[in-house]
Amino acid sequence: MLVLLAVCLPLGSTSSSVAAQPRDAVRPPISVVTDGGDNGLSSAVRAQAALKARIALKYREMAVISDDQYRITQTAIRDNHAHQTPLHTSEMLFSKCMHDGRYSEASIIASLAVLDSNTPVERAHFTLLQAEACLLRQDDMRAIRPLLQQAADELAHAGTHDDAWHQAEAMLEDMQVGLL
């Protein structure tokens, strides 16, 4: 698993503006889709665009680790002989990738964190993070819907409904409403 992470996580960073340029050329800016005016788009398309805008804004405004800290953490993971990456570390790397617009890499990190998770709530949380990355990366509902179902199943099997469960449940509901 560490080999997969080492292969999938490249050493340099890609700027979010460079990564977003091809997408901006083919899609209208989010504000055009979500401005609330009658622009001929269905309410489902506007809801999905609003969800994408909220997710992108959340990570763009989030304080994340520096590029240097990101590289140091990657190196530490590659050099570590343990079988699991701490979930907190996975979340830091995920947030950095989302902040920088590296959605494919973020999705890989989240999917590996699902495997490293010990509880249904942790698995649901990282599955939902993977769905966020998938939504921003490719808009493929055939890929996102099974992730949402998997997260819902994990939350249904959770024994306790603590704060982490409620946060994951709220995140799931927000995504389901935005993707209807």
Side-chain angles (χ1 to χ4, degrees), residues 6 8 11 13 22 26 35 38-40 52 65 77 105 117-119 122 127 131 137 142 145-146 163-164 170 179-180:
C8 294
L11 279 174
S13 70
V26 272
D35 66 359
D38 184 14
N39 50 18
K52 287 177 67 171
I65 59 176
I77 289 170
E105 187 175 345
S117 299
N118 295 319
T119 68
E122 290 171 346
T127 300
R137 181 182 81 227
R142 290 181 309 232
R145 294 220 187 274
D163 287 341
L179 296 174
L180 285 177

Side-chain angles (χ1 to χ4, degrees), residues 116-135:
D116 289 343
S117 299
N118 295 319
T119 68
V121 174
E122 290 171 346
R123 285 188 294 277
H125 173 73
F126 283 102
T127 300
L128 291 167
L129 293 181
Q130 186 179 2
E132 284 184 342
C134 189
L135 178 64

Side-chain angles (χ1 to χ4, degrees), residues 121 160-167:
V121 174
T160 60
H161 294 180
D162 58 5
D163 287 341
W165 184 91
H166 287 289
Q167 289 172 354

Side-chain angles (χ1 to χ4, degrees), residues 14 18 65 92 99 105 113 135 143 158:
T14 307
V18 171
I65 59 176
M92 286 184 341
H99 179 269
E105 187 175 345
L135 178 64

Side-chain angles (χ1 to χ4, degrees), residues 6-180:
V7 170
C8 294
L9 298 177
L11 279 174
S13 70
T14 307
S15 77
S16 60
S17 63
V18 171
Q21 284 176 355
R23 290 186 182 152
D24 293 340
V26 272
R27 294 186 185 153
I30 295 292
S31 61
V32 171
V33 177
T34 62
D35 66 359
D38 184 14
N39 50 18
L41 298 174
S42 71
S43 61
V45 170
R46 286 193 305 271
Q48 183 176 340
L51 175 63
K52 287 177 67 171
R54 283 193 312 274
I55 292 170
L57 184 62
K58 173 177 80 171
Y59 288 105
R60 196 171 27 245
E61 292 181 344
M62 181 182 284
V64 297
I65 59 176
S66 68
D67 289 340
D68 290 338
Q69 184 62 42
Y70 179 80
R71 284 189 290 278
I72 290 167
T73 304
Q74 282 182 315
T75 302
I77 289 170
R78 277 194 308 269
D79 292 345
N80 187 356
H81 297 290
H83 295 282
Q84 292 182 321
T85 300
L87 294 179
H88 176 70
T89 302
S90 294
E91 189 135 16
M92 286 184 341
L93 294 173
F94 175 86
S95 296
K96 174 66 174 165
C97 290
M98 292 292 282
H99 179 269
D100 291 350
R102 296 190 317 258
Y103 306 125
S104 294
E105 187 175 345
S107 183
I108 291 167
I109 291 167
S111 65
L112 290 174
V114 169
L115 298 174
D116 289 343
S117 299
N118 295 319
T119 68
V121 174
E122 290 171 346
R123 285 188 294 277
H125 173 73
F126 283 102
T127 300
L128 291 167
L129 293 181
Q130 186 179 2
E132 284 184 342
C134 189
L135 178 64
L136 293 182
R137 181 182 81 227
Q138 65 191 27
D139 276 339
D140 183 2
M141 290 301 120
R142 290 181 309 232
I144 296 169
R145 294 220 187 274
L147 293 171
L148 296 181
Q149 185 58 52
Q150 180 182 345
D153 292 346
E154 290 290 354
L155 289 175
H157 289 96
T160 60
H161 294 180
D162 58 5
D163 287 341
W165 184 91
H166 287 289
Q167 289 172 354
E169 179 69 19
M171 188 176 174
L172 175 63
E173 287 176 10
D174 185 43
M175 291 192 75
Q176 287 174 329
V177 167
L179 296 174
L180 285 177

